Every structure is written in C-alpha cells, then in structure tokens.
Short mmCIF file of all heavy atoms in Angstrom, two decimals:
data_model
loop_
_atom_site.label_atom_id
_atom_site.label_comp_id
_atom_site.label_asym_id
_atom_site.label_seq_id
_atom_site.Cartn_x
_atom_site.Cartn_y
_atom_site.Cartn_z
N ILE A 304 0.84 -1.20 0.00
CA ILE A 304 0.00 0.00 0.00
C ILE A 304 0.87 1.24 0.00
O ILE A 304 0.60 2.21 -0.72
CB ILE A 304 -0.94 0.00 1.22
CG1 ILE A 304 -1.94 -1.16 1.13
CG2 ILE A 304 -1.69 1.33 1.32
CD1 ILE A 304 -2.84 -1.28 2.35
N PHE A 305 1.95 1.21 0.77
CA PHE A 305 2.83 2.38 0.85
C PHE A 305 3.48 2.64 -0.51
O PHE A 305 3.61 3.80 -0.92
CB PHE A 305 3.87 2.19 1.94
CG PHE A 305 3.35 2.50 3.31
CD1 PHE A 305 2.50 1.61 3.96
CD2 PHE A 305 3.67 3.68 3.94
CE1 PHE A 305 2.00 1.90 5.22
CE2 PHE A 305 3.18 3.98 5.20
CZ PHE A 305 2.33 3.09 5.84
N ARG A 306 3.87 1.60 -1.20
CA ARG A 306 4.46 1.79 -2.54
C ARG A 306 3.42 2.34 -3.50
O ARG A 306 3.71 3.23 -4.31
CB ARG A 306 5.05 0.48 -3.05
CG ARG A 306 6.35 0.09 -2.37
CD ARG A 306 7.12 -0.94 -3.16
NE ARG A 306 6.53 -2.26 -3.05
CZ ARG A 306 6.82 -3.13 -2.09
NH1 ARG A 306 7.68 -2.80 -1.14
NH2 ARG A 306 6.27 -4.33 -2.06
N GLU A 307 2.22 1.83 -3.41
CA GLU A 307 1.14 2.30 -4.28
C GLU A 307 0.82 3.77 -4.04
O GLU A 307 0.53 4.51 -4.98
CB GLU A 307 -0.11 1.45 -4.05
CG GLU A 307 -1.30 1.85 -4.91
CD GLU A 307 -2.54 1.04 -4.60
OE1 GLU A 307 -2.50 0.17 -3.72
OE2 GLU A 307 -3.57 1.29 -5.24
N LEU A 308 0.89 4.18 -2.79
CA LEU A 308 0.50 5.54 -2.43
C LEU A 308 1.63 6.57 -2.50
O LEU A 308 1.40 7.74 -2.23
CB LEU A 308 -0.09 5.56 -1.01
CG LEU A 308 -1.45 4.91 -0.81
CD1 LEU A 308 -1.90 5.08 0.63
CD2 LEU A 308 -2.49 5.52 -1.75
N GLN A 309 2.82 6.16 -2.87
CA GLN A 309 3.94 7.10 -2.85
C GLN A 309 3.66 8.38 -3.65
O GLN A 309 3.96 9.49 -3.17
CB GLN A 309 5.21 6.44 -3.38
CG GLN A 309 6.46 7.30 -3.20
CD GLN A 309 6.73 7.65 -1.75
OE1 GLN A 309 6.84 6.78 -0.90
NE2 GLN A 309 6.84 8.94 -1.44
N PRO A 310 3.05 8.31 -4.84
CA PRO A 310 2.73 9.56 -5.55
C PRO A 310 1.75 10.45 -4.79
O PRO A 310 1.81 11.67 -4.91
CB PRO A 310 2.13 9.07 -6.87
CG PRO A 310 2.64 7.69 -7.05
CD PRO A 310 2.73 7.12 -5.66
N VAL A 311 0.87 9.84 -4.01
CA VAL A 311 -0.04 10.61 -3.17
C VAL A 311 0.73 11.26 -2.02
O VAL A 311 0.58 12.46 -1.74
CB VAL A 311 -1.17 9.71 -2.63
CG1 VAL A 311 -2.01 10.44 -1.58
CG2 VAL A 311 -2.05 9.22 -3.77
N PHE A 312 1.58 10.49 -1.37
CA PHE A 312 2.37 11.02 -0.27
C PHE A 312 3.28 12.17 -0.71
O PHE A 312 3.54 13.10 0.07
CB PHE A 312 3.23 9.91 0.35
CG PHE A 312 2.45 8.80 1.00
CD1 PHE A 312 2.99 7.52 1.08
CD2 PHE A 312 1.19 9.01 1.52
CE1 PHE A 312 2.30 6.49 1.69
CE2 PHE A 312 0.48 7.99 2.13
CZ PHE A 312 1.03 6.72 2.21
N ASP A 313 3.76 12.11 -1.94
CA ASP A 313 4.67 13.14 -2.43
C ASP A 313 4.03 14.52 -2.42
O ASP A 313 4.74 15.53 -2.38
CB ASP A 313 5.13 12.82 -3.85
CG ASP A 313 6.13 11.67 -3.91
OD1 ASP A 313 6.72 11.34 -2.86
OD2 ASP A 313 6.31 11.09 -5.00
N ALA A 314 2.70 14.58 -2.44
CA ALA A 314 2.01 15.87 -2.44
C ALA A 314 2.03 16.55 -1.07
O ALA A 314 1.83 17.77 -0.98
CB ALA A 314 0.57 15.68 -2.89
N ILE A 315 2.29 15.79 -0.02
CA ILE A 315 2.18 16.34 1.33
C ILE A 315 3.42 16.14 2.19
O ILE A 315 3.51 16.70 3.28
CB ILE A 315 0.97 15.74 2.08
CG1 ILE A 315 1.08 14.21 2.16
CG2 ILE A 315 -0.34 16.17 1.42
CD1 ILE A 315 0.03 13.56 3.05
N ALA A 316 4.37 15.35 1.72
CA ALA A 316 5.49 14.96 2.59
C ALA A 316 6.81 14.92 1.84
O ALA A 316 6.86 14.70 0.64
CB ALA A 316 5.21 13.58 3.20
N LYS A 317 7.88 15.13 2.61
CA LYS A 317 9.22 15.00 2.05
C LYS A 317 9.81 13.62 2.34
O LYS A 317 10.78 13.20 1.73
CB LYS A 317 10.15 16.07 2.60
CG LYS A 317 10.41 15.96 4.10
CD LYS A 317 11.39 17.02 4.58
CE LYS A 317 11.63 16.89 6.10
NZ LYS A 317 12.58 17.90 6.59
N LYS A 318 9.20 12.91 3.32
CA LYS A 318 9.77 11.63 3.72
C LYS A 318 8.68 10.73 4.29
O LYS A 318 7.77 11.20 4.99
CB LYS A 318 10.87 11.83 4.77
CG LYS A 318 11.67 10.59 5.11
CD LYS A 318 12.84 10.95 6.03
CE LYS A 318 13.74 9.75 6.30
NZ LYS A 318 14.89 10.10 7.17
N VAL A 319 8.79 9.44 3.99
CA VAL A 319 7.90 8.43 4.56
C VAL A 319 8.77 7.37 5.24
O VAL A 319 9.68 6.83 4.61
CB VAL A 319 7.02 7.76 3.48
CG1 VAL A 319 6.09 6.73 4.13
CG2 VAL A 319 6.23 8.80 2.70
N ILE A 320 8.50 7.11 6.52
CA ILE A 320 9.22 6.06 7.23
C ILE A 320 8.23 4.96 7.56
O ILE A 320 7.24 5.20 8.26
CB ILE A 320 9.88 6.58 8.52
CG1 ILE A 320 10.74 7.82 8.24
CG2 ILE A 320 10.74 5.49 9.16
CD1 ILE A 320 11.32 8.46 9.49
N HIS A 321 8.49 3.77 7.06
CA HIS A 321 7.59 2.65 7.27
C HIS A 321 8.15 1.78 8.39
O HIS A 321 9.25 1.24 8.28
CB HIS A 321 7.45 1.84 5.98
CG HIS A 321 6.51 0.69 6.10
ND1 HIS A 321 6.92 -0.62 6.15
CD2 HIS A 321 5.15 0.66 6.19
CE1 HIS A 321 5.87 -1.41 6.25
NE2 HIS A 321 4.78 -0.67 6.28
N PHE A 322 7.39 1.63 9.49
CA PHE A 322 7.88 0.94 10.68
C PHE A 322 7.44 -0.52 10.77
O PHE A 322 7.86 -1.23 11.68
CB PHE A 322 7.43 1.69 11.94
CG PHE A 322 8.19 2.98 12.14
CD1 PHE A 322 7.67 4.18 11.68
CD2 PHE A 322 9.43 2.99 12.75
CE1 PHE A 322 8.37 5.37 11.84
CE2 PHE A 322 10.14 4.17 12.93
CZ PHE A 322 9.60 5.36 12.46
N GLY A 323 6.58 -0.95 9.83
CA GLY A 323 6.13 -2.34 9.88
C GLY A 323 4.63 -2.45 9.77
O GLY A 323 3.99 -1.66 9.07
N SER A 324 4.06 -3.40 10.46
CA SER A 324 2.63 -3.68 10.35
C SER A 324 1.80 -2.54 10.92
O SER A 324 2.30 -1.68 11.66
CB SER A 324 2.31 -4.99 11.08
OG SER A 324 2.69 -4.90 12.44
N ALA A 325 0.52 -2.55 10.58
CA ALA A 325 -0.39 -1.52 11.07
C ALA A 325 -0.32 -1.43 12.60
O ALA A 325 -0.32 -2.45 13.30
CB ALA A 325 -1.81 -1.82 10.61
N GLY A 326 -0.27 -0.23 13.11
CA GLY A 326 -0.11 0.01 14.54
C GLY A 326 1.28 0.46 14.93
O GLY A 326 1.46 1.12 15.96
N LYS A 327 2.27 0.15 14.08
CA LYS A 327 3.65 0.50 14.42
C LYS A 327 3.91 2.00 14.23
O LYS A 327 4.76 2.58 14.92
CB LYS A 327 4.62 -0.31 13.56
CG LYS A 327 4.57 -1.82 13.82
CD LYS A 327 5.08 -2.15 15.21
CE LYS A 327 4.95 -3.65 15.51
NZ LYS A 327 5.70 -4.49 14.60
N GLY A 328 3.21 2.63 13.31
CA GLY A 328 3.37 4.07 13.13
C GLY A 328 2.95 4.83 14.38
O GLY A 328 3.64 5.75 14.84
N THR A 329 1.81 4.45 14.93
CA THR A 329 1.31 5.08 16.15
C THR A 329 2.27 4.85 17.32
O THR A 329 2.55 5.77 18.11
CB THR A 329 -0.08 4.53 16.50
OG1 THR A 329 -0.99 4.92 15.47
CG2 THR A 329 -0.57 5.04 17.84
#
C-alpha cells in the first residue's frame, strides 16, 4: 500500500518512514 500511495504522499510529505505492520506508526 505504501508503494502504491507514494505519488499521493509526495504531495504532502518529504519523507515516509515505514515501521512495519499496522499500529507501528502510532
């Protein structure tokens, strides 16, 4: 999902850090 959404993220962010499964970001 993160790879798919990278063009979307580029509109709002300079960096994306993926920490693992859902819940790890929080």
Side-chain angles (χ1 to χ4, degrees):
I304 295 176
F305 279 75
R306 286 198 285 272
E307 180 183 0
L308 289 183
Q309 188 59 55
V311 171
F312 295 153
D313 287 342
I315 58 172
K317 65 178 180 179
K318 189 173 185 179
V319 181
I320 308 175
H321 182 253
F322 287 95
S324 58
K327 296 293 177 60
T329 295

